[in-house]
Amino acid sequence: MNGPGGWVRIVGLGPGADGLVTPDAQAVLDTCTDVVGYIPYVGRVPERPGLVKHASDNRVEIDRSLHALSMAAEGKRVAVVSSGDPGVFAMASAVFEALEAGPEEWKTLDIQVIPGITASLAAAARAGAPLGHDFCTINLSDNLKPWALIEKRLRLAAEGDFAMAFYNPRSKSRPEGFERTLDILRDCCEPERLIIFARAVTTPEEALTVVALKDATPEMADMRTMVIVGSSLTRVIPGTGIVYTPRFVEG
Amino acid sequence: MNGPGGWVRIVGLGPGADGLVTPDAQAVLDTCTDVVGYIPYVGRVPERPGLVKHASDNRVEIDRSLHALSMAAEGKRVAVVSSGDPGVFAMASAVFEALEAGPEEWKTLDIQVIPGITASLAAAARAGAPLGHDFCTINLSDNLKPWALIEKRLRLAAEGDFAMAFYNPRSKSRPEGFERTLDILRDCCEPERLIIFARAVTTPEEALTVVALKDATPEMADMRTMVIVGSSLTRVIPGTGIVYTPRFVEG
Protein backbone atom coordinates (compact mmCIF):
# COMPACT_ATOMS: atom_id res chain seq x y z
CA MET A 1 0.00 0.00 0.00
CA ASN A 2 1.44 3.35 -1.06
CA GLY A 3 1.29 6.36 1.27
CA PRO A 4 -1.33 8.97 0.29
CA GLY A 5 -0.47 11.98 -1.88
CA GLY A 6 2.81 10.76 -3.29
CA TRP A 7 3.79 11.20 -6.89
CA VAL A 8 6.69 11.16 -9.33
CA ARG A 9 7.09 13.79 -12.05
CA ILE A 10 9.87 13.12 -14.54
CA VAL A 11 10.67 16.65 -15.57
CA GLY A 12 12.62 18.17 -18.45
CA LEU A 13 14.41 21.39 -17.50
CA GLY A 14 15.22 22.30 -21.10
CA PRO A 15 18.71 23.07 -22.42
CA GLY A 16 19.77 25.57 -19.76
CA ALA A 17 18.09 28.97 -20.06
CA ASP A 18 15.37 29.80 -17.53
CA GLY A 19 13.26 31.12 -20.41
CA LEU A 20 12.98 27.60 -21.80
CA VAL A 21 11.68 25.96 -18.59
CA THR A 22 7.97 25.39 -19.20
CA PRO A 23 5.33 26.55 -16.70
CA ASP A 24 4.35 22.89 -16.20
CA ALA A 25 7.93 22.01 -15.24
CA GLN A 26 8.16 25.05 -12.98
CA ALA A 27 4.91 24.07 -11.24
CA VAL A 28 6.40 20.69 -10.37
CA LEU A 29 9.56 22.30 -9.00
CA ASP A 30 7.38 24.64 -6.92
CA THR A 31 5.28 21.87 -5.34
CA CYS A 32 7.55 18.84 -4.96
CA THR A 33 9.03 17.81 -1.63
CA ASP A 34 12.10 16.10 -3.11
CA VAL A 35 14.26 16.58 -6.19
CA VAL A 36 16.30 13.71 -7.57
CA GLY A 37 18.84 13.85 -10.40
CA TYR A 38 22.35 14.21 -11.71
CA ILE A 39 24.34 16.82 -9.74
CA PRO A 40 24.39 19.68 -12.29
CA TYR A 41 20.67 19.34 -13.06
CA VAL A 42 19.62 19.29 -9.40
CA GLY A 43 21.84 22.36 -9.04
CA ARG A 44 19.58 24.20 -11.46
CA VAL A 45 16.60 23.89 -9.08
CA PRO A 46 16.39 26.89 -6.69
CA GLU A 47 16.53 26.15 -2.97
CA ARG A 48 13.39 26.72 -0.92
CA PRO A 49 12.29 25.79 2.63
CA GLY A 50 11.05 22.21 2.78
CA LEU A 51 12.64 21.10 -0.46
CA VAL A 52 15.10 18.22 -0.12
CA LYS A 53 17.65 17.76 -2.87
CA HIS A 54 19.12 14.36 -3.69
CA ALA A 55 21.92 14.89 -6.19
CA SER A 56 23.79 11.87 -7.52
CA ASP A 57 26.59 11.19 -9.96
CA ASN A 58 26.26 10.10 -13.55
CA ARG A 59 25.64 6.42 -14.43
CA VAL A 60 23.51 5.63 -11.36
CA GLU A 61 20.21 6.19 -13.15
CA ILE A 62 18.54 3.02 -11.87
CA ASP A 63 19.53 3.58 -8.21
CA ARG A 64 18.25 7.14 -8.50
CA SER A 65 14.98 5.90 -10.03
CA LEU A 66 14.45 3.29 -7.30
CA HIS A 67 15.03 6.01 -4.71
CA ALA A 68 12.50 8.32 -6.38
CA LEU A 69 9.84 5.61 -6.63
CA SER A 70 10.32 4.45 -3.04
CA MET A 71 10.00 8.03 -1.75
CA ALA A 72 6.80 8.50 -3.78
CA ALA A 73 5.45 5.25 -2.29
CA GLU A 74 6.03 6.81 1.14
CA GLY A 75 3.84 9.76 0.14
CA LYS A 76 6.49 12.21 -1.02
CA ARG A 77 6.12 14.40 -4.10
CA VAL A 78 9.22 13.66 -6.11
CA ALA A 79 10.63 15.51 -9.12
CA VAL A 80 13.13 13.52 -11.15
CA VAL A 81 14.95 16.13 -13.19
CA SER A 82 16.79 15.85 -16.50
CA SER A 83 18.16 18.55 -18.72
CA GLY A 84 16.41 18.84 -22.07
CA ASP A 85 13.50 16.42 -22.47
CA PRO A 86 13.33 13.51 -20.00
CA GLY A 87 12.19 11.10 -22.72
CA VAL A 88 15.23 11.61 -24.97
CA PHE A 89 18.30 9.76 -23.63
CA ALA A 90 17.44 10.91 -20.13
CA MET A 91 15.64 9.75 -16.98
CA ALA A 92 12.18 8.64 -18.20
CA SER A 93 13.23 5.24 -19.55
CA ALA A 94 15.35 4.61 -16.44
CA VAL A 95 12.41 5.33 -14.10
CA PHE A 96 10.18 2.98 -16.08
CA GLU A 97 12.81 0.24 -16.06
CA ALA A 98 12.98 0.59 -12.27
CA LEU A 99 9.19 0.66 -12.03
CA GLU A 100 8.87 -2.56 -14.00
CA ALA A 101 11.48 -4.31 -11.86
CA GLY A 102 10.09 -2.99 -8.57
CA PRO A 103 7.34 -4.09 -6.15
CA GLU A 104 3.83 -4.57 -7.50
CA GLU A 105 2.33 -1.68 -5.52
CA TRP A 106 4.51 0.85 -7.32
CA LYS A 107 2.42 0.25 -10.43
CA THR A 108 -0.42 2.27 -8.94
CA LEU A 109 1.80 5.28 -8.22
CA ASP A 110 0.87 8.60 -9.82
CA ILE A 111 3.67 9.06 -12.38
CA GLN A 112 3.82 11.63 -15.18
CA VAL A 113 6.44 12.75 -17.68
CA ILE A 114 6.65 16.54 -18.19
CA PRO A 115 8.32 17.19 -21.54
CA GLY A 116 11.06 19.76 -22.07
CA ILE A 117 12.94 21.47 -24.89
CA THR A 118 15.43 18.82 -25.96
CA ALA A 119 19.01 19.77 -26.85
CA SER A 120 18.70 18.87 -30.53
CA LEU A 121 15.83 21.29 -31.09
CA ALA A 122 17.43 24.06 -29.04
CA ALA A 123 20.63 23.65 -31.05
CA ALA A 124 18.71 23.55 -34.33
CA ALA A 125 16.89 26.77 -33.38
CA ARG A 126 20.20 28.52 -32.75
CA ALA A 127 21.57 27.41 -36.12
CA GLY A 128 18.42 28.12 -38.17
CA ALA A 129 16.35 25.09 -39.18
CA PRO A 130 18.71 22.19 -40.01
CA LEU A 131 16.12 19.65 -38.77
CA GLY A 132 13.35 21.11 -40.94
CA HIS A 133 13.02 17.84 -42.83
CA ASP A 134 13.11 14.15 -41.81
CA PHE A 135 15.84 13.40 -39.27
CA CYS A 136 17.29 10.72 -36.99
CA THR A 137 18.20 11.20 -33.34
CA ILE A 138 21.06 8.97 -32.23
CA ASN A 139 22.89 8.56 -28.93
CA LEU A 140 26.57 8.02 -29.81
CA SER A 141 27.45 6.59 -26.40
CA ASP A 142 28.18 2.87 -26.47
CA ASN A 143 27.78 2.51 -22.70
CA LEU A 144 24.39 0.82 -23.16
CA LYS A 145 24.51 -0.59 -26.69
CA PRO A 146 27.13 -2.18 -28.93
CA TRP A 147 29.15 0.07 -31.20
CA ALA A 148 28.17 -2.13 -34.16
CA LEU A 149 24.55 -1.01 -33.74
CA ILE A 150 25.58 2.65 -33.71
CA GLU A 151 27.57 2.14 -36.90
CA LYS A 152 24.69 0.32 -38.57
CA ARG A 153 22.29 3.12 -37.71
CA LEU A 154 24.68 5.82 -38.91
CA ARG A 155 25.07 4.09 -42.28
CA LEU A 156 21.31 3.58 -42.69
CA ALA A 157 20.59 7.20 -41.71
CA ALA A 158 23.07 8.40 -44.30
CA GLU A 159 21.64 6.06 -46.94
CA GLY A 160 18.19 7.51 -46.26
CA ASP A 161 19.59 11.05 -46.51
CA PHE A 162 18.15 11.88 -43.11
CA ALA A 163 19.57 14.84 -41.20
CA MET A 164 21.02 13.53 -37.92
CA ALA A 165 21.19 14.80 -34.37
CA PHE A 166 23.81 13.19 -32.12
CA TYR A 167 23.60 13.15 -28.32
CA ASN A 168 26.63 12.33 -26.15
CA PRO A 169 29.05 12.46 -29.08
CA ARG A 170 32.24 12.21 -27.09
CA SER A 171 33.47 11.78 -23.53
CA LYS A 172 36.85 11.51 -21.89
CA SER A 173 36.29 7.79 -21.30
CA ARG A 174 35.44 7.08 -24.97
CA PRO A 175 37.20 9.63 -27.17
CA GLU A 176 37.42 7.24 -30.13
CA GLY A 177 33.69 6.87 -30.88
CA PHE A 178 33.24 10.27 -32.43
CA GLU A 179 36.38 9.85 -34.54
CA ARG A 180 34.87 6.63 -35.89
CA THR A 181 31.58 8.46 -36.47
CA LEU A 182 33.32 11.06 -38.62
CA ASP A 183 35.06 8.28 -40.57
CA ILE A 184 31.71 6.58 -41.24
CA LEU A 185 30.12 9.85 -42.33
CA ARG A 186 33.05 10.54 -44.68
CA ASP A 187 32.52 7.09 -46.14
CA CYS A 188 28.79 7.75 -46.76
CA CYS A 189 28.42 11.50 -47.38
CA GLU A 190 29.98 14.11 -49.65
CA PRO A 191 32.89 16.21 -48.24
CA GLU A 192 30.82 19.42 -48.27
CA ARG A 193 28.07 17.97 -46.03
CA LEU A 194 27.37 20.50 -43.26
CA ILE A 195 27.96 19.69 -39.59
CA ILE A 196 26.92 21.90 -36.70
CA PHE A 197 28.70 21.69 -33.35
CA ALA A 198 26.45 23.37 -30.80
CA ARG A 199 28.01 23.50 -27.35
CA ALA A 200 26.05 24.35 -24.18
CA VAL A 201 23.26 26.06 -26.12
CA THR A 202 21.27 28.77 -24.30
CA THR A 203 23.88 28.95 -21.50
CA PRO A 204 26.60 31.61 -21.06
CA GLU A 205 29.11 29.09 -22.49
CA GLU A 206 27.18 28.67 -25.74
CA ALA A 207 29.35 28.19 -28.84
CA LEU A 208 28.16 27.34 -32.33
CA THR A 209 30.44 26.14 -35.14
CA VAL A 210 29.36 25.16 -38.65
CA VAL A 211 31.84 23.32 -40.85
CA ALA A 212 31.93 21.05 -43.87
CA LEU A 213 32.39 17.35 -43.07
CA LYS A 214 35.86 17.43 -44.63
CA ASP A 215 36.93 20.06 -42.07
CA ALA A 216 35.33 18.45 -38.99
CA THR A 217 37.68 17.08 -36.30
CA PRO A 218 36.89 14.94 -33.24
CA GLU A 219 38.04 17.70 -30.87
CA MET A 220 35.15 19.90 -32.02
CA ALA A 221 32.80 17.84 -29.79
CA ASP A 222 32.67 17.08 -26.09
CA MET A 223 29.92 15.83 -23.75
CA ARG A 224 28.25 19.24 -23.70
CA THR A 225 28.09 19.39 -27.49
CA MET A 226 25.09 18.58 -29.63
CA VAL A 227 26.16 17.58 -33.14
CA ILE A 228 23.78 18.03 -36.05
CA VAL A 229 24.61 16.64 -39.49
CA GLY A 230 22.59 18.05 -42.36
CA SER A 231 20.99 16.08 -45.15
CA SER A 232 22.45 16.46 -48.65
CA LEU A 233 20.10 19.43 -49.13
CA THR A 234 20.99 21.35 -45.96
CA ARG A 235 22.51 24.73 -46.85
CA VAL A 236 23.84 28.01 -45.50
CA ILE A 237 22.05 31.15 -46.67
CA PRO A 238 24.79 33.22 -48.35
CA GLY A 239 25.60 36.40 -46.46
CA THR A 240 24.25 34.98 -43.18
CA GLY A 241 25.29 32.19 -40.85
CA ILE A 242 21.85 30.60 -41.05
CA VAL A 243 21.72 26.85 -41.76
CA TYR A 244 18.47 25.27 -42.91
CA THR A 245 17.08 22.22 -44.65
CA PRO A 246 14.51 23.06 -47.33
CA ARG A 247 11.08 21.51 -47.04
CA PHE A 248 10.89 20.46 -50.68
CA VAL A 249 12.60 17.42 -52.21
CA GLU A 250 12.28 16.87 -55.95
CA GLY A 251 10.80 13.60 -57.15
CA MET B 1 17.65 49.74 -45.76
CA ASN B 2 15.47 48.12 -43.12
CA GLY B 3 13.39 50.22 -40.75
CA PRO B 4 14.77 50.42 -37.18
CA GLY B 5 13.64 48.06 -34.44
CA GLY B 6 12.06 45.38 -36.58
CA TRP B 7 12.50 41.71 -35.96
CA VAL B 8 11.12 38.26 -36.71
CA ARG B 9 10.75 35.60 -34.05
CA ILE B 10 9.75 32.17 -35.30
CA VAL B 11 7.99 30.83 -32.25
CA GLY B 12 6.91 27.36 -31.16
CA LEU B 13 3.68 27.37 -29.13
CA GLY B 14 4.06 23.76 -28.01
CA PRO B 15 1.42 21.07 -28.48
CA GLY B 16 -1.58 22.96 -27.08
CA ALA B 17 -1.54 23.36 -23.30
CA ASP B 18 -0.70 26.80 -21.91
CA GLY B 19 1.58 25.10 -19.39
CA LEU B 20 3.88 24.01 -22.23
CA VAL B 21 4.37 27.48 -23.74
CA THR B 22 7.88 28.55 -22.68
CA PRO B 23 8.52 31.92 -21.02
CA ASP B 24 10.70 32.86 -24.03
CA ALA B 25 7.80 32.21 -26.41
CA GLN B 26 5.41 34.10 -24.13
CA ALA B 27 7.79 37.08 -24.03
CA VAL B 28 7.69 37.28 -27.82
CA LEU B 29 3.89 37.13 -27.86
CA ASP B 30 3.82 39.91 -25.24
CA THR B 31 6.09 42.29 -27.17
CA CYS B 32 5.41 41.71 -30.86
CA THR B 33 3.32 44.11 -32.96
CA ASP B 34 2.15 41.46 -35.44
CA VAL B 35 1.41 37.74 -35.34
CA VAL B 36 1.52 35.67 -38.51
CA GLY B 37 0.51 32.02 -38.89
CA TYR B 38 -1.97 29.32 -39.72
CA ILE B 39 -5.48 30.19 -38.50
CA PRO B 40 -5.74 27.82 -35.49
CA TYR B 41 -2.27 28.73 -34.21
CA VAL B 42 -2.84 32.49 -34.47
CA GLY B 43 -6.10 31.82 -32.64
CA ARG B 44 -4.11 30.56 -29.66
CA VAL B 45 -2.49 34.00 -29.16
CA PRO B 46 -4.55 36.20 -26.79
CA GLU B 47 -5.82 39.52 -28.16
CA ARG B 48 -4.33 42.70 -26.74
CA PRO B 49 -4.43 46.40 -27.75
CA GLY B 50 -1.96 47.15 -30.52
CA LEU B 51 -1.48 43.54 -31.60
CA VAL B 52 -2.37 42.83 -35.23
CA LYS B 53 -3.17 39.24 -36.18
CA HIS B 54 -2.57 37.94 -39.70
CA ALA B 55 -4.09 34.46 -39.89
CA SER B 56 -3.79 32.52 -43.12
CA ASP B 57 -4.80 29.13 -44.46
CA ASN B 58 -2.65 26.03 -44.68
CA ARG B 59 -0.20 25.58 -47.59
CA VAL B 60 0.64 29.29 -48.00
CA GLU B 61 3.79 29.08 -45.88
CA ILE B 62 6.00 31.00 -48.31
CA ASP B 63 3.52 33.88 -48.81
CA ARG B 64 3.15 34.10 -45.04
CA SER B 65 6.93 34.15 -44.61
CA LEU B 66 7.40 36.89 -47.21
CA HIS B 67 4.74 38.92 -45.44
CA ALA B 68 6.45 38.47 -42.07
CA LEU B 69 9.88 39.43 -43.43
CA SER B 70 8.55 42.49 -45.28
CA MET B 71 6.78 43.73 -42.13
CA ALA B 72 9.97 43.28 -40.10
CA ALA B 73 11.88 45.24 -42.77
CA GLU B 74 9.37 48.07 -42.17
CA GLY B 75 10.31 48.06 -38.49
CA LYS B 76 7.55 45.84 -37.11
CA ARG B 77 8.12 43.18 -34.46
CA VAL B 78 6.72 40.04 -36.01
CA ALA B 79 5.97 36.68 -34.37
CA VAL B 80 5.60 33.80 -36.81
CA VAL B 81 3.80 31.13 -34.82
CA SER B 82 3.74 27.36 -35.23
CA SER B 83 2.35 24.72 -32.95
CA GLY B 84 4.97 22.45 -31.44
CA ASP B 85 8.52 23.37 -32.41
CA PRO B 86 8.93 25.72 -35.38
CA GLY B 87 11.96 23.81 -36.66
CA VAL B 88 10.17 20.46 -37.01
CA PHE B 89 7.93 20.39 -40.10
CA ALA B 90 6.76 23.91 -39.34
CA MET B 91 7.47 27.53 -40.23
CA ALA B 92 11.23 27.94 -39.63
CA SER B 93 12.38 26.33 -42.89
CA ALA B 94 9.71 28.23 -44.83
CA VAL B 95 10.85 31.58 -43.42
CA PHE B 96 14.48 30.80 -44.31
CA GLU B 97 13.50 29.74 -47.83
CA ALA B 98 11.72 33.08 -48.23
CA LEU B 99 14.67 34.94 -46.72
CA GLU B 100 17.10 33.32 -49.15
CA ALA B 101 14.88 34.18 -52.14
CA GLY B 102 14.14 37.72 -50.96
CA PRO B 103 15.88 41.10 -51.29
CA GLU B 104 19.48 41.40 -50.11
CA GLU B 105 18.65 43.80 -47.24
CA TRP B 106 16.51 41.18 -45.52
CA LYS B 107 19.71 39.29 -44.69
CA THR B 108 20.56 41.83 -42.01
CA LEU B 109 17.17 41.48 -40.29
CA ASP B 110 17.13 40.37 -36.65
CA ILE B 111 15.68 36.85 -36.89
CA GLN B 112 15.57 34.20 -34.16
CA VAL B 113 13.94 30.81 -33.74
CA ILE B 114 12.35 30.19 -30.32
CA PRO B 115 12.04 26.43 -29.82
CA GLY B 116 8.91 24.72 -28.51
CA ILE B 117 7.76 21.34 -27.22
CA THR B 118 7.31 19.36 -30.41
CA ALA B 119 4.34 16.99 -30.81
CA SER B 120 6.43 13.81 -30.87
CA LEU B 121 7.96 14.49 -27.47
CA ALA B 122 4.65 15.62 -25.96
CA ALA B 123 3.01 12.44 -27.24
CA ALA B 124 5.91 10.31 -26.01
CA ALA B 125 5.63 11.89 -22.55
CA ARG B 126 1.93 10.99 -22.38
CA ALA B 127 2.63 7.38 -23.35
CA GLY B 128 5.69 6.87 -21.14
CA ALA B 129 9.08 6.91 -22.86
CA PRO B 130 8.74 5.21 -26.27
CA LEU B 131 11.45 7.47 -27.75
CA GLY B 132 13.92 6.68 -24.97
CA HIS B 133 16.34 5.16 -27.47
CA ASP B 134 17.46 6.13 -31.00
CA PHE B 135 14.56 7.25 -33.19
CA CYS B 136 13.64 8.74 -36.57
CA THR B 137 11.26 11.63 -37.11
CA ILE B 138 9.45 11.45 -40.46
CA ASN B 139 6.82 13.65 -42.11
CA LEU B 140 4.42 11.28 -43.89
CA SER B 141 2.98 13.99 -46.13
CA ASP B 142 4.01 13.69 -49.76
CA ASN B 143 3.00 17.26 -50.57
CA LEU B 144 6.66 18.34 -50.68
CA LYS B 145 8.56 15.14 -51.41
CA PRO B 146 8.00 12.01 -53.48
CA TRP B 147 6.30 9.05 -51.87
CA ALA B 148 9.23 6.84 -52.95
CA LEU B 149 11.51 8.75 -50.58
CA ILE B 150 9.08 8.28 -47.69
CA GLU B 151 8.93 4.54 -48.39
CA LYS B 152 12.73 4.31 -48.60
CA ARG B 153 13.15 6.07 -45.28
CA LEU B 154 10.52 3.91 -43.57
CA ARG B 155 12.27 0.74 -44.71
CA LEU B 156 15.70 1.99 -43.62
CA ALA B 157 14.34 3.13 -40.25
CA ALA B 158 12.82 -0.31 -39.70
CA GLU B 159 16.04 -2.03 -40.79
CA GLY B 160 17.95 0.05 -38.25
CA ASP B 161 15.39 -0.85 -35.56
CA PHE B 162 14.86 2.82 -34.82
CA ALA B 163 11.69 3.88 -33.04
CA MET B 164 9.78 6.24 -35.35
CA ALA B 165 7.68 9.35 -34.89
CA PHE B 166 5.35 10.28 -37.75
CA TYR B 167 4.05 13.81 -38.34
CA ASN B 168 1.08 14.47 -40.66
CA PRO B 169 0.21 10.80 -40.99
CA ARG B 170 -3.06 11.22 -42.83
CA SER B 171 -5.27 13.91 -44.32
CA LYS B 172 -8.56 13.95 -46.19
CA SER B 173 -6.71 14.77 -49.41
CA ARG B 174 -4.28 11.85 -49.09
CA PRO B 175 -5.94 9.07 -47.09
CA GLU B 176 -3.92 6.34 -48.84
CA GLY B 177 -0.45 7.28 -47.57
CA PHE B 178 -0.94 6.00 -44.06
CA GLU B 179 -2.46 2.76 -45.33
CA ARG B 180 0.70 2.25 -47.39
CA THR B 181 2.81 3.11 -44.34
CA LEU B 182 1.12 0.37 -42.32
CA ASP B 183 1.68 -2.09 -45.18
CA ILE B 184 5.39 -1.23 -45.28
CA LEU B 185 5.70 -1.59 -41.51
CA ARG B 186 3.96 -4.98 -41.65
CA ASP B 187 6.46 -6.00 -44.30
CA CYS B 188 9.45 -4.97 -42.13
CA CYS B 189 8.37 -5.44 -38.49
CA GLU B 190 6.90 -8.21 -36.37
CA PRO B 191 3.07 -8.22 -35.85
CA GLU B 192 3.37 -7.42 -32.13
CA ARG B 193 5.35 -4.19 -32.73
CA LEU B 194 3.73 -1.45 -30.66
CA ILE B 195 2.15 1.63 -32.25
CA ILE B 196 0.90 4.66 -30.33
CA PHE B 197 -1.79 6.93 -31.79
CA ALA B 198 -1.69 10.17 -29.82
CA ARG B 199 -4.37 12.62 -30.92
CA ALA B 200 -4.41 16.30 -29.90
CA VAL B 201 -2.12 15.73 -26.94
CA THR B 202 -2.38 18.17 -24.02
CA THR B 203 -5.68 19.57 -25.36
CA PRO B 204 -9.21 18.75 -24.11
CA GLU B 205 -9.60 16.41 -27.13
CA GLU B 206 -6.57 14.32 -26.19
CA ALA B 207 -6.90 10.60 -26.95
CA LEU B 208 -4.18 7.98 -26.66
CA THR B 209 -4.39 4.49 -28.17
CA VAL B 210 -1.71 1.80 -28.01
CA VAL B 211 -2.06 -1.22 -30.29
CA ALA B 212 0.02 -3.96 -31.85
CA LEU B 213 0.93 -3.36 -35.50
CA LYS B 214 -1.31 -6.26 -36.54
CA ASP B 215 -4.30 -4.46 -35.04
CA ALA B 216 -3.55 -0.96 -36.39
CA THR B 217 -5.93 0.48 -39.00
CA PRO B 218 -5.58 3.61 -41.16
CA GLU B 219 -8.63 5.22 -39.52
CA MET B 220 -6.78 5.39 -36.20
CA ALA B 221 -4.87 8.44 -37.50
CA ASP B 222 -5.90 11.85 -38.76
CA MET B 223 -4.04 15.17 -39.21
CA ARG B 224 -4.17 15.88 -35.48
CA THR B 225 -2.61 12.52 -34.63
CA MET B 226 1.01 11.89 -33.81
CA VAL B 227 1.97 8.29 -34.54
CA ILE B 228 4.85 6.66 -32.70
CA VAL B 229 6.13 3.23 -33.69
CA GLY B 230 8.29 1.48 -31.14
CA SER B 231 11.55 -0.31 -31.82
CA SER B 232 11.59 -4.10 -31.45
CA LEU B 233 12.42 -3.59 -27.75
CA THR B 234 9.60 -1.15 -26.91
CA ARG B 235 7.26 -2.67 -24.31
CA VAL B 236 4.24 -2.06 -22.10
CA ILE B 237 4.79 -2.41 -18.36
CA PRO B 238 2.33 -5.15 -17.30
CA GLY B 239 -0.45 -3.83 -15.08
CA THR B 240 -0.02 -0.27 -16.38
CA GLY B 241 -0.58 1.44 -19.71
CA ILE B 242 2.99 2.76 -19.74
CA VAL B 243 4.98 2.23 -22.96
CA TYR B 244 8.76 2.62 -22.90
CA THR B 245 11.88 1.70 -24.80
CA PRO B 246 14.67 0.38 -22.58
CA ARG B 247 18.01 2.15 -22.68
CA PHE B 248 20.04 -1.04 -22.92
CA VAL B 249 20.57 -3.10 -26.07
CA GLU B 250 22.52 -6.34 -25.81
CA GLY B 251 25.61 -6.74 -27.96
Side-chain angles (χ1 to χ4, degrees):
Chain A
M1 187 62 187
N2 298 316
W7 46 246
V8 174
R9 299 291 178 263
I10 311 165
V11 178
L13 300 178
D18 289 343
L20 294 177
V21 179
T22 67
D24 279 359
Q26 191 59 54
V28 170
L29 301 180
D30 291 344
T31 54
C32 62
T33 57
D34 295 78
V35 180
V36 171
Y38 179 40
I39 299 161
Y41 308 148
V42 170
R44 286 178 55 192
V45 180
E47 307 277 350
R48 65 175 159 77
L51 179 67
V52 183
K53 291 186 172 190
H54 310 267
S56 46
D57 209 346
N58 219 342
R59 299 210 189 183
V60 294
E61 289 81 5
I62 293 298
D63 291 345
R64 188 188 295 153
S65 299
L66 293 168
H67 186 207
L69 291 161
S70 61
M71 286 194 291
E74 292 164 9
K76 292 182 176 169
R77 301 186 298 277
V78 184
V80 177
V81 294
S82 292
S83 87
D85 181 276
V88 179
F89 312 125
M91 284 302 299
S93 282
V95 171
F96 294 130
E97 284 172 37
L99 178 69
E100 186 167 16
E104 195 61 25
E105 63 263 31
W106 283 4
K107 292 183 180 170
T108 59
L109 284 171
D110 173 9
I111 303 175
Q112 284 181 33
V113 180
I114 311 296
I117 304 288
T118 191
S120 58
L121 301 186
R126 286 299 207 219
L131 303 179
H133 208 281
D134 302 333
F135 63 96
C136 293
T137 304
I138 301 175
N139 186 347
L140 290 187
S141 167
D142 60 355
N143 286 338
L144 297 169
K145 64 186 166 188
W147 174 260
L149 181 61
I150 298 174
E151 172 158 355
K152 179 180 179 181
R153 286 177 175 167
L154 289 170
R155 290 187 182 278
L156 291 166
E159 186 182 343
D161 200 19
F162 285 98
M164 303 175 217
F166 299 147
Y167 286 70
N168 304 318
R170 192 162 177 265
S171 74
K172 282 179 189 157
S173 62
R174 23 171 212 90
E176 71 292 348
F178 189 59
E179 191 164 356
R180 286 193 221 168
T181 299
L182 289 176
D183 288 342
I184 293 164
L185 292 172
R186 288 190 179 109
D187 194 37
C188 305
C189 305
E190 69 289 357
E192 298 304 324
R193 181 68 63 99
L194 291 173
I195 302 194
I196 299 159
F197 293 90
R199 186 170 189 280
V201 281
T202 84
T203 77
E205 295 84 44
E206 175 173 308
L208 204 74
T209 309
V210 182
V211 296
L213 175 55
K214 66 179 167 56
D215 300 320
T217 63
E219 297 70 32
M220 290 177 175
D222 66 12
M223 278 311 270
R224 296 191 70 193
T225 307
M226 184 74 220
V227 178
I228 296 178
V229 180
S231 79
S232 65
L233 298 177
T234 303
R235 46 188 291 109
V236 177
I237 300 179
T240 76
I242 298 168
V243 184
Y244 80 102
T245 304
R247 302 166 309 144
F248 184 71
V249 181
E250 280 188 63
Chain B
M1 185 66 186
N2 299 316
W7 46 246
V8 174
R9 298 290 178 265
I10 311 166
V11 178
L13 299 178
D18 289 344
L20 294 178
V21 178
T22 68
D24 279 359
Q26 191 59 53
V28 170
L29 300 180
D30 290 345
T31 55
C32 62
T33 57
D34 294 78
V35 180
V36 171
Y38 178 40
I39 299 160
Y41 307 149
V42 170
R44 286 178 55 190
V45 179
E47 307 277 350
R48 65 177 158 76
L51 179 67
V52 184
K53 291 185 173 190
H54 310 267
S56 47
D57 210 346
N58 219 342
R59 296 209 190 185
V60 295
E61 288 82 5
I62 294 297
D63 292 346
R64 187 188 294 153
S65 299
L66 294 169
H67 185 206
L69 291 162
S70 62
M71 286 194 292
E74 292 164 7
K76 292 181 176 169
R77 300 186 300 275
V78 184
V80 177
V81 293
S82 293
S83 87
D85 181 278
V88 179
F89 312 125
M91 284 302 297
S93 282
V95 171
F96 294 130
E97 283 171 39
L99 178 70
E100 185 167 16
E104 194 60 26
E105 63 263 30
W106 283 4
K107 292 183 180 171
T108 59
L109 283 172
D110 174 10
I111 304 175
Q112 284 180 33
V113 180
I114 311 296
I117 304 289
T118 192
S120 58
L121 300 186
R126 287 300 206 219
L131 303 179
H133 208 280
D134 302 333
F135 63 97
C136 294
T137 304
I138 301 176
N139 185 346
L140 289 187
S141 167
D142 60 355
N143 286 339
L144 296 170
K145 64 186 166 187
W147 175 261
L149 180 61
I150 299 174
E151 172 159 355
K152 179 180 178 182
R153 287 177 175 167
L154 290 169
R155 290 188 183 277
L156 291 167
E159 186 181 343
D161 199 20
F162 285 98
M164 302 176 217
F166 299 148
Y167 286 71
N168 303 315
R170 193 162 178 264
S171 73
K172 282 177 190 160
S173 63
R174 25 172 209 87
E176 73 291 349
F178 189 59
E179 191 163 356
R180 287 193 219 167
T181 299
L182 289 176
D183 288 343
I184 293 164
L185 292 172
R186 289 190 178 109
D187 194 38
C188 305
C189 305
E190 69 288 357
E192 298 303 326
R193 181 68 62 100
L194 290 173
I195 303 195
I196 299 158
F197 293 90
R199 186 169 190 278
V201 280
T202 82
T203 78
E205 295 85 42
E206 175 172 310
L208 204 74
T209 309
V210 181
V211 296
L213 175 56
K214 67 180 168 52
D215 300 320
T217 64
E219 297 70 32
M220 290 178 176
D222 65 12
M223 278 310 270
R224 295 191 71 193
T225 308
M226 185 74 221
V227 179
I228 295 177
V229 181
S231 78
S232 66
L233 298 177
T234 304
R235 48 188 289 109
V236 177
I237 300 178
T240 75
I242 298 168
V243 184
Y244 80 102
T245 305
R247 302 165 309 144
F248 183 73
V249 181
E250 279 188 65

